[in-house]
């Protein structure tokens, strides 16, 4: 009965998995564009509000802070409301934050607006993968996760490259409002074209209760089967501390540790590779291209890996290879400025960036039960935010006060990556 109920859930989702994945990607990209509108015009924003360098740093780091504190509650929210509702809520919140920012009159009001946008970023970060898990049949989830995993890569590139042009034409207020409009357009597409069962209907079908509820019979104590089903659905909608305890097994901890390390690696590469390359005489535009090249190559690797996972039904082998390759790739991108730099970028983009696809697709196996998936996704996104935070904290410490210990930094993070590969190899999942 449960298998048939699950099949009926996927049958009730419209449109098909490819169109659904592309709409989800559009929502994610629009949110990421808003996140990355600041770096390329940071100097202008800081100048407009008289910010110091330490104050201006909060315009980006506030996103990480929001993820650390809100990812777990967002998992519970997505379980109650359903992923689609949380995605739409995130779009509404980030549009509101953009409006506040567009008319901000002080530095701290601008930072507050970025905090609001950061809340929305957490909503989408957690709800996007849950939408794939909830609305896409298992045999297509690898491909869907491959498409979804491109949202930050594409959004960061578009946001970083388009914003200076938009800012030059529309000015500060116009840029903030224009990007809010992009988010609203993506939200309208999600609302209009994606039809899914409600959170209550989904829980009933996944629990195999739909057919019983139609029968409407009475129990021995006089309660109806419909009432019993409703009680079970309401109980299933709650994420409790026991859910998180269930995710504290050694197997799950090894799994989350590996993803933590990957995010430290990515933060180190994106944030510090340009600094290293410029110290070696490379110009700013080429150094920026080098650090973003893995994200562009991920367009290929994510889609190919997603298809391979769907065809083989396995993720562990791909995950182990990807995370093992990411370690030396990170080392090369932090220590080399010649041909080996581009080898590292190619390895990271074509193989290492397959890690998010393998992780998101295999996470249900780590959760073990469908009702634990929102909690597991909340933990995973908390780990992601924590990894980014540690990357921003640990990397400069390894580099030293004069920012010159690049070889030492590369070796330490590279070794940490190899330890992460051993952790994934030791995990039990297929």
């Amino acid at each position: 009965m449960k298998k048939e109920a699950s099949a009926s859930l996927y049958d009730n989702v419209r449109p098909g998995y490819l169109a659904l994945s592309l709409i989800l990607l559009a929502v994610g990209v629009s949110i990421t564009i808003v996140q990355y509108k600041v770096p390329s015009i940071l100097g202008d924003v800081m100048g407009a509000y008289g910010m110091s360098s330490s104050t201006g740093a909060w315009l980006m780091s506030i996103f990480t802070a929001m993820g650390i504190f809100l990812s777990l509650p967002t998992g519970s929210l997505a379980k109650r409301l359903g992923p689609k509702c949380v995605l739409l809520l995130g779009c509404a919140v980030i549009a509101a934050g953009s409006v506040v920012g567009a008319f901000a009159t002080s530095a701290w009001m601008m930072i507050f607006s970025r905090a609001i946008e950061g809340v929305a970023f957490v909503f989408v970060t957690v709800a996007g993968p849950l939408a794939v898990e909830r609305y896409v049949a298992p045999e297509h989830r690898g491909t869907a996760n491959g498409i979804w995993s491109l949202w930050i890569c594409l959004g960061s590139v578009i946001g970083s490259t388009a914003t200076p042009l938009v800012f030059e034409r529309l000015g500060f207020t116009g840029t903030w409002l224009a990007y809010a409009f992009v988010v609203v357009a993506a939200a309208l597409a999600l609302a209009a074209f994606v039809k899914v069962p409600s959170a209550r209907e989904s829980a009933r079908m996944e629990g195999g209760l739909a057919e019983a509820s139609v029968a409407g019979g009475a129990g021995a104590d006089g309660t109806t089967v419909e009432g019993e089903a409703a009680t079970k659905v309401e109980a299933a909608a709650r994420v409790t501390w026991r859910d998180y305890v269930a995710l504290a097994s050694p197997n799950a901890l090894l799994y989350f540790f590996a993803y933590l390390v990957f995010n430290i690696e990515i933060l180190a590469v994106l944030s510090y590779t340009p600094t290293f390359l410029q110290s070696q005489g490379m110009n700013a535009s080429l150094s920026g291209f080098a650090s973003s090249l893995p994200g562009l190559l991920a367009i290929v690797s994510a889609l190919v890996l997603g298809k391979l996972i769907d065809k083989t039904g396995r993720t562990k082998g791909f995950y182990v290879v990807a995370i093992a390759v990411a370690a030396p790739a990170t080392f090369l991108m932090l220590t080399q400025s010649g041909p080996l730099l581009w080898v590292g970028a190619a390895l990271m983009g074509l193989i290492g960036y397959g890690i998010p696809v393998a992780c998101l697709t295999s996470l249900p196996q780590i959760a073990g039960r469908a009702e634990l998936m929102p909690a597991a996704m909340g933990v995973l996104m908390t780990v992601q935010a924590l990894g980014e935070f540690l990357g921003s904290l640990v990397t400069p410490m390894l580099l030293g006060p004069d920012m010159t210990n690049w070889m030492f930094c590369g070796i330490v993070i590279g070794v940490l990556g190899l330890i992460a590969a051993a952790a994934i190899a030791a995990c039990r999942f297929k």
Side-chain angles (χ1 to χ4, degrees):
M1 179 186 297
K2 187 169 184 177
K3 183 176 181 180
E4 293 173 358
S6 295
S8 66
L9 170 62
Y10 305 128
D11 290 342
N12 284 323
V13 174
R14 297 290 184 275
Y17 77 96
L18 281 178
L20 172 63
S21 301
L22 291 173
I23 293 173
L24 292 176
L25 177 62
V27 172
V29 168
S30 71
I31 297 291
T32 309
I33 290 174
V34 171
Q35 180 190 8
Y36 281 90
K37 67 189 174 187
V38 167
S40 59
I41 57 170
L42 181 58
D44 295 291
V45 177
M46 291 174 60
Y49 291 97
M51 295 182 180
S52 65
S53 57
S54 59
T55 303
W58 278 100
L59 291 173
M60 286 300 291
S61 61
I62 196 70
F63 278 85
T64 302
M66 293 297 101
I68 292 173
F69 295 108
L70 295 180
S71 292
L72 294 181
T74 301
S76 179
L77 184 67
K79 191 169 184 178
R80 287 179 176 273
L81 301 182
K84 179 183 175 181
C85 288
V86 175
L87 287 169
L88 292 173
L89 180 61
C91 291
V93 170
I94 207 165
S98 295
V99 171
V100 172
F103 299 102
T105 57
S106 68
W108 291 109
M109 183 177 291
M110 170 55 65
I111 292 174
F112 174 69
S113 76
R114 294 290 285 172
I116 296 174
E117 292 173 350
V119 171
F121 186 78
V122 177
F123 284 179
V124 174
T125 300
V126 174
L130 284 176
V132 173
E133 192 270 338
R134 177 72 65 84
Y135 306 141
V136 177
E139 61 269 22
H140 299 305
R141 284 180 191 159
T143 301
N145 278 319
I147 294 172
W148 166 253
S149 69
L150 298 174
W151 68 295
I152 292 181
C153 299
L154 295 178
S156 61
V157 171
I158 295 171
S160 298
T161 57
T163 299
L165 299 175
V166 177
F167 181 75
E168 183 179 348
R169 288 180 174 273
L170 301 181
F172 179 82
T173 300
T175 300
W176 258 240
L177 294 179
Y179 285 178
F181 176 79
V182 172
V183 172
V184 170
L188 290 175
L190 176 65
F193 298 112
V194 176
K195 305 299 182 183
V196 300
S198 67
R200 185 180 179 88
E201 291 169 340
S202 298
R204 290 172 66 178
M205 284 187 278
E206 288 175 346
L209 299 173
E211 294 167 275
S213 125
V214 170
D221 58 355
T223 60
T224 64
V225 175
E226 174 101 21
E228 291 175 356
T231 300
K232 291 179 181 179
V233 168
E234 290 169 1
R238 293 191 294 269
V239 176
T240 69
W241 64 269
R242 292 184 178 85
D243 295 329
Y244 296 113
V245 170
L247 294 172
S249 67
N251 194 58
L253 292 177
L254 286 172
Y255 187 89
F256 292 130
F257 167 76
Y259 198 63
L260 175 82
V261 172
F262 170 69
N263 282 280
I264 292 175
E265 293 173 329
I266 292 303
L267 192 286
V269 167
L270 290 176
S271 298
Y272 292 97
T273 291
T275 303
F276 166 71
L277 294 176
Q278 290 171 36
S279 73
Q280 302 299 306
M282 186 177 289
N283 65 56
S285 60
L286 185 57
S287 66
F289 173 74
S291 65
S292 62
L293 180 59
L296 297 175
L297 294 176
I299 297 173
V300 176
S301 61
L303 297 178
V304 171
L305 182 58
K307 275 294 185 184
L308 288 173
I309 290 174
D310 283 342
K311 285 184 175 297
T312 62
R314 295 183 175 276
T315 56
K316 183 174 180 178
F318 299 115
Y319 201 158
V320 171
V321 170
I323 203 163
V325 168
T330 300
F331 170 79
L332 292 175
M333 294 194 71
L334 290 174
T335 62
Q336 303 297 312
S337 58
L340 288 178
L341 162 70
W342 304 104
V343 172
L347 288 174
M348 181 64 84
L350 295 176
I351 302 177
Y353 265 42
I355 291 172
V357 184
C359 183
L360 293 172
T361 308
S362 59
L363 185 61
Q365 298 180 57
I366 302 300
R369 305 195 307 274
E371 60 268 25
L372 291 183
M373 264 303 290
M377 189 59 67
V379 172
L380 185 69
M381 294 304 106
T382 301
V383 166
Q384 175 178 305
L386 184 59
E388 293 171 352
F389 175 77
L390 290 176
S392 65
L393 177 69
V394 172
T395 305
M397 293 174 59
L398 294 174
L399 291 173
D402 54 356
M403 299 283 287
T404 58
N405 297 328
W406 293 101
M407 184 61 66
F408 175 71
C409 177
I411 290 174
V412 171
I413 296 180
V415 169
L416 191 61
L418 294 177
I419 294 173
I424 282 295
C427 283
R428 299 186 304 277
F429 66 98
K430 67 177 183 177

